[in-house]
Amino acid sequence: MIRPTILFAVLVAGVLGVAVPAHAQGSGSATLDAVRARGQLVCGIAGAVPGFSLPDSQGVMRGLDADSCRTVAAAVLGDATKIRFVPLTTTNRFTALQSGEVDLLVRSTTWTLGREANLGLLFAGVNYYDGTSFLVKKALGVKSAKELDGATICVQPGTSTELAISDYFRINAMKFTPILIQDLSEIQQAFLSGRCDAYSTDGSALATFRATQPNKDDFVLLPEVISKEPLGYVVRKGDDKWFDIVRWTYFVQLIAEEYGITGKTIDGFADSKVPEVRRLLGLEGDMGKALLLDNRFAYNVVRQVGNFGEIWDRNITALGVPRGINNLWNKGGLQYAPPMR
């Protein structure tokens, strides 16, 4: 007889189009079962954003979001390389997750009430606290977003950026004309060619775009940050254990950084007497078992991909973007993990 929890997982998988192993013995998570049966995590990313997800010269996907996906593969499958990246647009990203085309979405996606309440999704962690900003050409002579009254602004449709701009201009009794372009390279080219006065998206993306321009000093990132844009891991509702797995995969990166445990030094902590370190390494506590994973899941995450600081430095610091509020809580930032016990 199939237990009720397993039956529910199978039904949810059927509705969402997620494959479930034929034996249906189940773990209590339809998504976890599907990933294990496939032997591969399928992760939705942007695929064209420097610092977040962009193939290198060898075709290997690099970036904060790409590495965030890898941490989940390491936790669930014990191997960060068992992953397939699916580039998604701002308009098809949610459908891809809802339908089961991807197991997880890590695509610079903002956590909002509307998305969590209306789309059947849950945000499991914030890998980048960001905010909407504006990039202009220095020749425009604008030094503040409040000088953009009447401006044309390039923005991607279907994004929280589009809503943030509308709110900002409404609050400040200003007008603007949106130039809506879906493709990232096209919107950037439109801005460079002068089709719009300003380019608006998350400040991190603007900073990395500016940093990659050969004449970067010809562009100005205006000082105003007009919205809160917490970006992170997104999963489907209805699979609570998968949500737990993804959320704690994110948290263990923070805990490791807090204790100074890196991918290179983690083996040197095997004799640690600190209880939380021992639980992190899977030496006691059955923390992995509680998540339906191997007790060494956190060890695999840190050993293979790194702690949060390592992932940040590898992908974001190299672009000249300060860590700021994305620092750990004990360094003045917002990154904070609950106790692992």
Side-chain angles (χ1 to χ4, degrees):
M1 179 178 178
I2 299 177
R3 298 197 309 273
T5 53
I6 303 303
L7 179 59
F8 175 74
V10 173
L11 290 173
V12 169
V15 171
L16 295 175
V18 180
V20 176
H23 52 73
Q25 64 182 20
S27 64
S29 166
T31 310
L32 177 60
D33 290 342
V35 172
R36 283 175 169 166
R38 192 189 305 121
Q40 183 184 60
L41 176 76
V42 181
C43 196
I45 42 87
V49 183
F52 288 83
S53 58
L54 183 72
D56 64 13
S57 59
Q58 304 301 312
V60 178
M61 193 65 69
R62 302 294 184 189
L64 180 70
D65 287 349
D67 278 347
S68 294
C69 292
R70 289 188 175 97
T71 63
V72 178
V76 174
L77 298 171
D79 187 341
T81 68
K82 291 184 176 180
I83 190 166
R84 176 165 63 88
F85 293 105
V86 177
L88 299 169
T89 68
T90 55
T91 54
N92 70 7
R93 54 183 166 174
F94 298 127
T95 303
L97 181 58
Q98 291 163 335
S99 67
E101 180 184 344
V102 297
D103 306 308
L104 171 69
L105 179 67
V106 193
R107 193 204 174 283
S108 298
T109 297
T110 301
W111 183 359
T112 70
L113 184 152
R115 288 172 175 176
E116 198 160 72
N118 297 326
L119 300 181
L121 306 176
L122 286 172
F123 286 75
V126 178
N127 69 351
Y128 199 113
Y129 288 95
D130 211 343
T132 298
S133 298
F134 298 93
L135 186 71
V136 299
K137 293 180 179 178
K138 184 182 291 186
L140 189 64
V142 170
K143 297 182 180 180
S144 168
K146 291 184 178 180
E147 298 176 38
L148 292 175
D149 191 15
T152 52
I153 300 178
C154 282
V155 60
Q156 288 182 295
T159 61
S160 57
T161 302
E162 188 179 1
L163 298 176
I165 295 171
S166 295
D167 286 348
Y168 180 77
F169 276 74
R170 179 181 176 184
I171 290 169
N172 288 283
M174 301 191 305
K175 294 182 179 181
F176 75 102
T177 300
I179 305 297
L180 302 176
I181 302 174
Q182 177 61 248
D183 184 78
L184 183 62
S185 61
E186 288 183 17
I187 196 172
Q188 292 172 345
Q189 186 55 46
F191 169 66
L192 293 173
S193 68
R195 185 176 168 187
C196 48
D197 299 312
Y199 170 29
S200 183
T201 187
D202 296 331
S204 59
L206 294 177
T208 55
F209 170 67
R210 178 182 179 275
T212 57
Q213 298 306 303
N215 54 338
K216 63 180 182 179
D217 291 337
D218 290 344
F219 302 94
V220 177
L221 185 61
L222 299 182
E224 290 86 355
V225 178
I226 68 169
S227 70
K228 293 181 291 184
E229 305 292 335
L231 315 175
Y233 304 73
V234 195
V235 299
R236 290 179 291 274
K237 283 184 178 177
D239 194 336
D240 293 350
K241 188 57 69 173
W242 182 249
F243 171 81
D244 292 343
I245 289 168
V246 174
R247 178 165 63 176
W248 278 94
T249 296
Y250 155 66
F251 283 151
V252 299
Q253 300 165 51
L254 304 181
I255 294 170
E257 183 182 6
E258 189 171 335
Y259 283 100
I261 302 171
T262 69
K264 292 183 178 179
T265 66
I266 191 167
D267 288 325
F269 285 82
D271 296 326
S272 174
K273 305 301 181 185
V274 179
E276 188 161 49
V277 171
R278 294 185 61 78
R279 290 190 287 268
L280 183 78
L281 270 59
L283 301 176
E284 62 181 63
D286 280 344
M287 296 293 101
K289 185 177 180 180
L291 292 172
L292 309 178
L293 303 178
D294 188 281
N295 283 332
R296 299 279 274 178
F297 86 98
Y299 170 89
N300 290 332
V301 169
V302 179
R303 181 69 180 82
Q304 296 181 32
V305 191
N307 67 34
F308 187 78
E310 289 181 278
I311 295 171
W312 179 279
D313 288 342
R314 182 162 62 237
N315 298 298
I316 305 299
T317 300
L319 293 172
V321 179
R323 189 160 171 188
I325 60 174
N326 285 287
N327 260 306
L328 294 179
W329 65 278
N330 55 5
K331 294 183 179 179
L334 298 177
Q335 294 291 357
Y336 182 100
M340 190 176 182
R341 61 171 181 259

